[in-house]
Amino acid sequence: MSMAGWPLAERPRERFLAHGAASLSDAELFALFFGTGVRGQSAVELARDLLARFGRVSRVLSAAP
């Protein structure tokens, strides 16, 4: 489901603005950089998949395209 269908209080950007970075998971923080997902995956789902595959953000960022 697209994040547009999520309640405002559950959306990462709104929670970040209201409560700060500590209120978000690593995947939610990473998803903020994406801004949008891909067909069939929200930005949070995409971030979770990448973190599951690579283990941590630094490995995602240093991966070959």
Side-chain angles (χ1 to χ4, degrees):
M1 174 206 290
S2 139
M3 281 192 278
W6 293 12
L8 282 175
E10 293 181 20
R11 295 180 191 178
R13 181 174 291 115
E14 284 74 7
R15 284 195 5 253
F16 173 76
L17 293 172
H19 306 289
S23 68
L24 302 178
S25 68
D26 288 346
E28 290 170 326
L29 285 169
F30 200 29
L32 291 179
F33 287 105
F34 296 148
T36 188
V38 294
R39 186 178 305 255
Q41 276 189 315
S42 71
V44 172
E45 292 166 333
L46 178 60
R48 284 183 186 141
D49 286 351
L50 288 170
L51 289 172
R53 180 175 175 190
F54 291 97
R56 59 180 182 237
V57 173
S58 63
R59 288 184 181 159
V60 175
L61 297 175
S62 65

